[in-house]
């Protein structure tokens, strides 16, 4: 009987991309990641698999044995972080180099046994080829399916002006991530924000003292504000059980506010942002900043042994870049009046939201955990001491932020040829007392009450009222300065969990009876937090 034909050794080159595709497929259901993010990791993984295969083929003089050894090492490297994370939770904090060396010894022993195998592993090679191909196909199909199922985002009402614009002032929209309202800052953080509020008012701002965000998460909030609409229709189209945030990101990227202003002859100016959906690059002027490691690649590196040896250095560099990006935003605001107008400037600053990288006088702070931009229970884990530290660090970063905001406003007002429109707004409230999966364990007042300040010069601007919410921000501006036929919408707010971004829980401020105490009573001490150093 003729010997069976030796099967091709494919599995090392399929197991190498599998963990990357799996991580990508999992993440794009919740947080869309540009496809370009996986190109370099895939190339590195395939290159590593090829080098390992060639080395072991030379050592063992056997394609099958070389494939087994290469697959084993590739899978060990790309799954090590998952193993350590599981052990860290199970054992209460084991995450050190001893585990790396212990597993490395086991892998090397396994490789040695493979080399001593007397025969070519033809049957095992066939099985591993099928398994690896199946894993790659499943994850690739998941990526394609997720992309194909995303609904088309409706454009919404036009609202174009029926007659010439009353004025065309430069417009600044400054979004301060997680900036809470003054009364909440006093109650939760023990921070008196009165001097800052009075400073804005002295510069001609109206501060809406009873303003709430329309939604408690950035994606929903900005999708709503920049499209001047609520998201109920989108939720119905996408499905209330969906966790796919790409439709929200698509609304932000293709928003109506920028489209409207472009139709009125405005240039769009943006600043480097910490998150991809608000990092508008294809605009008339982009104030860039040296890129730090992307969030997806950071998570991918955390699945390898890399953080055990270089994690602290990598985090320090990432925190430096994050700090630099915040400071760059303020420098850009101060230089913007020299831009050719009229222009609309959009600036999203990831502060006072964590990570807390700035002290009250602008001194550098470096958190004691691997780089992350999470907040709420994802960061402090509902552990009382961590919550107390969260409050202190938020307060310190806020103090410095206030100083830079007033300085930027002064520069804008002094350097502008004509009085500009300026909106300074929190996208949602602070989250010292928030469990992003359980509203009953969250102080919703804190999560939704926001800073909302308007500089609307001249009679065309009208006036912002105390209860105005972000959905009416540009309706108010476009009506006043462009004669746009846009009615103000009823001001309403909703809370949603991270896992179900389209299932909205209406928030009635007048009827709400929650408090810090009630949120504390519902805390979940076992809630996950970021990995501390």
């Amino acid at each position: 009987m003729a010997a069976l034909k030796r099967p091709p050794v494919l599995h090392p080159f399929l197991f190498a991309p599998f963990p990357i595709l799996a991580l990508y497929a999992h993440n794009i259901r919740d947080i869309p990641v540009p496809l370009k993010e996986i190109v370099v990791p895939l190339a590195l993984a395939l290159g590593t698999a090829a080098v390992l295969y060639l080395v072991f083929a030379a050592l063992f003089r056997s394609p099958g044995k070389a494939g087994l050894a290469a697959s084993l090492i590739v899978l060990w490297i790309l799954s090590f972080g998952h193993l350590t994370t599981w052990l860290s939770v199970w054992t209460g904090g084991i995450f050190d180099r001893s585990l790396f060396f212990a597993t490395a010894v086991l892998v090397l022993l396994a490789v040695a046994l493979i080399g001593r195998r007397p025969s070519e592993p033809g049957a095992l090679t066939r099985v591993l080829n099928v398994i690896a191909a199946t894993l790659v196909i499943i994850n690739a199909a998941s990526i394609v399916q997720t992309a194909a199922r995303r609904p088309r985002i409706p454009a919404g009402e036009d609202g174009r002006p029926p007659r010439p614009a009353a004025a065309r002032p430069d417009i600044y929209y400054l979004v301060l991530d997680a900036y809470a309202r003054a009364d909440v800052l006093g109650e939760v953080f023990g921070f008196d924000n009165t001097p800052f509020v009075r400073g804005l008012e002295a510069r001609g701002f109206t501060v809406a003292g009873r303003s709430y965000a329309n939604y408690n998460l950035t994606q929903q909030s900005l999708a709503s504000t920049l499209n001047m609409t609520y998201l109920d229709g989108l939720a119905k189209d996408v499905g209330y059980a969906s966790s796919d945030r790409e439709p929200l990101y698509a609304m932000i990227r293709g928003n109506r506010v920028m489209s409207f202003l472009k139709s009125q002859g405005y240039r769009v100016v943006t600043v480097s942002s910490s998150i991809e959906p608000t990092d508008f690059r294809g605009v008339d002027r982009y104030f860039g900043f040296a890129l730090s490691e992307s969030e997806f690649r950071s998570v991918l590196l955390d699945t390898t042994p890399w953080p055990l040896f270089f994690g602290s250095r990598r985090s320090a560099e990432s925190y430096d870049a994050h700090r630099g990006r915040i400071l760059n935003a303020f420098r850009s605001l101060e230089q913007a009046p020299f831009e050719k107008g009229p222009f609309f400037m959009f600036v999203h600053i990831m502060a006072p939201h964590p990570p807390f990288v700035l002290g009250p006088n602008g001194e550098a702070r470096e958190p004691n955990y691997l780089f992350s931009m999470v907040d709420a229970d994802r960061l402090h884990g509902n552990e009382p001491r961590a919550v107390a530290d969260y409050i202190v660090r938020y307060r310190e970063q806020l103090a410095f932020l206030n100083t830079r905001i007033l300085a930027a406003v002064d520069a804008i007002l002094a350097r502008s040829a004509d009085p500009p429109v300026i909106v300074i707004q929190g996208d949602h409230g602070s989250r010292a007392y928030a469990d992003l999966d359980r509203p009953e364990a969250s102080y919703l007042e804190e999560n939704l009450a926001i800073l909302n300040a308007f500089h609307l010069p001249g009679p065309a601007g009208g006036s912002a009222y105390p209860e105005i919410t972000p959905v009416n921000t540009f309706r108010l501006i476009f009506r006043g300065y462009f004669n746009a036929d846009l009615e103000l919408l009823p001001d309403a707010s909703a809370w949603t969990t991270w896992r179900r971004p389209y299932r909205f829980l209406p928030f009635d401020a007048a009827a709400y009876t929650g408090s810090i105490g009630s949120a504390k009573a519902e805390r979940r001490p076992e809630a996950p937090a970021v990995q501390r150093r």
Side-chain angles (χ1 to χ4, degrees):
M1 185 176 180
L4 290 175
K5 184 179 178 181
R6 179 182 294 174
V9 180
L10 302 176
H11 56 85
F13 309 102
L14 294 171
F15 280 131
F18 154 63
I20 300 169
L21 293 174
L23 184 66
Y24 184 80
H26 173 76
N27 275 276
I28 63 168
R29 297 184 192 125
D30 295 328
I31 305 175
V33 180
L35 192 61
K36 63 183 180 181
E37 289 288 336
I38 65 173
V39 173
V40 172
L42 284 175
L44 289 174
L46 288 169
T48 300
V51 169
L52 289 171
Y53 176 76
L54 292 174
V55 168
F56 288 117
L59 287 175
F60 299 152
R61 299 187 182 279
S62 163
K65 295 178 184 180
L68 289 180
S71 287
L72 177 62
I73 293 176
V74 164
L75 288 174
W76 170 63
I77 291 173
L78 291 175
S79 62
F80 182 81
H82 296 297
L83 173 64
T84 52
T85 299
W86 177 77
L87 284 177
S88 179
V89 174
W90 185 57
T91 62
I94 291 179
F95 188 84
D96 55 33
R97 300 182 186 185
S98 61
L99 180 64
F100 170 80
F101 290 115
T103 53
V105 169
L106 293 176
V107 169
L108 291 175
L109 287 174
V111 170
L113 290 174
I114 291 170
R116 293 172 62 86
R117 183 186 176 99
S119 59
E120 185 74 13
L124 184 56
T125 297
R126 291 188 183 88
V127 171
L128 291 177
N129 284 344
V130 171
I131 292 173
T134 301
L135 292 172
V136 168
I137 291 170
I138 289 173
N139 284 282
S142 176
I143 294 169
V144 172
Q145 185 181 51
T146 299
R149 285 184 175 179
R150 284 171 176 156
R152 186 180 67 85
I153 307 302
E157 58 184 307
D158 194 348
R160 294 183 180 275
R163 54 189 185 279
R168 293 203 307 169
D170 295 334
I171 301 173
Y172 295 79
Y173 182 39
L174 174 56
V175 178
L176 301 168
D177 212 291
Y179 198 122
R181 207 171 60 199
D183 55 333
V184 169
L185 291 175
E187 177 189 10
V188 175
F189 296 90
F191 187 90
D192 182 9
N193 212 30
T194 304
F196 175 69
V197 172
R198 288 179 177 170
L200 289 176
E201 291 172 341
R203 290 161 172 81
F205 281 78
T206 297
V207 180
R210 295 194 293 275
S211 184
Y212 290 91
N214 299 109
Y215 300 94
N216 65 304
L217 296 173
T218 298
Q219 299 92 344
Q220 291 90 331
S221 179
L222 290 180
S224 171
T225 304
L226 290 173
N227 289 279
M228 303 177 285
T229 188
Y230 288 104
L231 304 177
D232 303 85
L234 177 68
K236 183 177 180 181
D237 292 341
V238 175
Y240 301 108
S242 174
S243 62
D244 183 6
R245 287 171 170 76
E246 174 58 25
L248 294 168
Y249 284 30
M251 287 185 72
I252 294 171
R253 289 189 294 259
N255 68 83
R256 292 171 54 209
V257 166
M258 290 183 185
S259 296
F260 177 90
L261 289 170
K262 286 178 183 178
S263 75
Q264 300 305 305
Y266 272 68
R267 299 173 65 246
V268 175
V269 179
T270 63
V271 176
S272 176
S273 171
S274 297
I275 61 174
E276 189 272 335
T278 59
D279 197 30
F280 296 96
R281 293 169 179 267
V283 294
D284 298 293
R285 175 66 190 276
Y286 175 74
F287 285 92
F289 184 74
L291 294 177
S292 60
E293 188 176 272
S294 74
E295 189 172 2
F296 176 78
R297 292 187 187 178
S298 177
V299 172
L300 182 59
L301 275 177
D302 287 342
T303 67
T304 73
W306 187 271
L308 287 178
F309 300 94
F310 305 102
S312 295
R313 178 181 174 184
R314 184 164 59 91
S315 282
E317 292 172 350
S318 296
Y319 285 126
D320 284 343
H322 185 72
R323 187 182 305 108
R325 184 173 280 108
I326 292 172
L327 298 176
N328 175 68
F330 286 112
R331 286 193 297 269
S332 302
L333 279 165
E334 293 167 0
Q335 292 300 314
F338 300 120
E339 289 290 311
K340 179 183 177 181
F343 61 80
F344 170 67
M345 186 172 191
F346 173 82
V347 182
H348 177 207
I349 297 179
M350 200 72 169
H353 187 287
F356 303 124
V357 295
L358 291 160
N361 299 309
E363 59 269 43
R365 296 273 199 255
E366 186 179 338
N368 66 338
Y369 49 85
L370 298 179
F371 182 77
S372 174
M373 290 193 291
V374 299
D375 69 340
D377 62 307
R378 268 60 173 176
L379 178 58
H380 53 55
N382 296 323
E383 200 277 318
R385 285 181 297 179
V387 172
D389 182 70
Y390 186 102
I391 289 172
V392 170
R393 302 302 178 193
Y394 179 101
R395 191 167 57 212
E396 290 180 343
Q397 187 152 280
L398 181 69
F400 175 71
L401 202 64
N402 285 351
T403 302
R404 290 308 303 263
I405 292 168
L406 293 179
V409 168
D410 287 340
I412 291 169
L413 295 178
R415 296 170 177 175
S416 297
D418 298 304
V421 169
I422 307 174
V423 179
I424 303 174
Q425 194 171 85
D427 57 341
H428 54 74
S430 54
R431 292 201 275 243
Y433 296 98
D435 184 321
L436 297 183
D437 293 316
R438 298 199 308 153
E440 70 275 11
S442 303
Y443 183 25
L444 302 189
E445 180 84 8
E446 180 212 353
N447 291 193
L448 288 164
I450 58 168
L451 169 72
N452 204 356
F454 296 79
H455 184 269
L456 304 173
S463 179
Y465 50 95
E467 299 84 5
I468 189 172
T469 58
V471 73
N472 282 319
T473 296
F474 291 100
R475 287 176 174 268
L476 181 71
I477 292 171
F478 291 172
R479 279 174 42 148
Y481 293 99
F482 301 94
N483 299 311
D485 186 18
L486 289 168
E487 295 299 320
L488 296 184
L489 301 177
D491 291 298
S493 301
W495 201 93
T496 182
T497 67
W498 178 259
R499 294 177 182 175
R500 292 291 178 266
Y502 302 101
R503 189 170 290 165
F504 304 130
L505 173 68
F507 173 76
D508 184 347
Y512 183 64
T513 58
S515 65
I516 295 175
S518 62
K520 284 181 178 180
E522 292 287 345
R523 303 331 287 269
R524 215 172 20 180
E526 72 276 11
V530 298
Q531 180 63 51
R532 305 278 165 179
R533 291 181 191 162

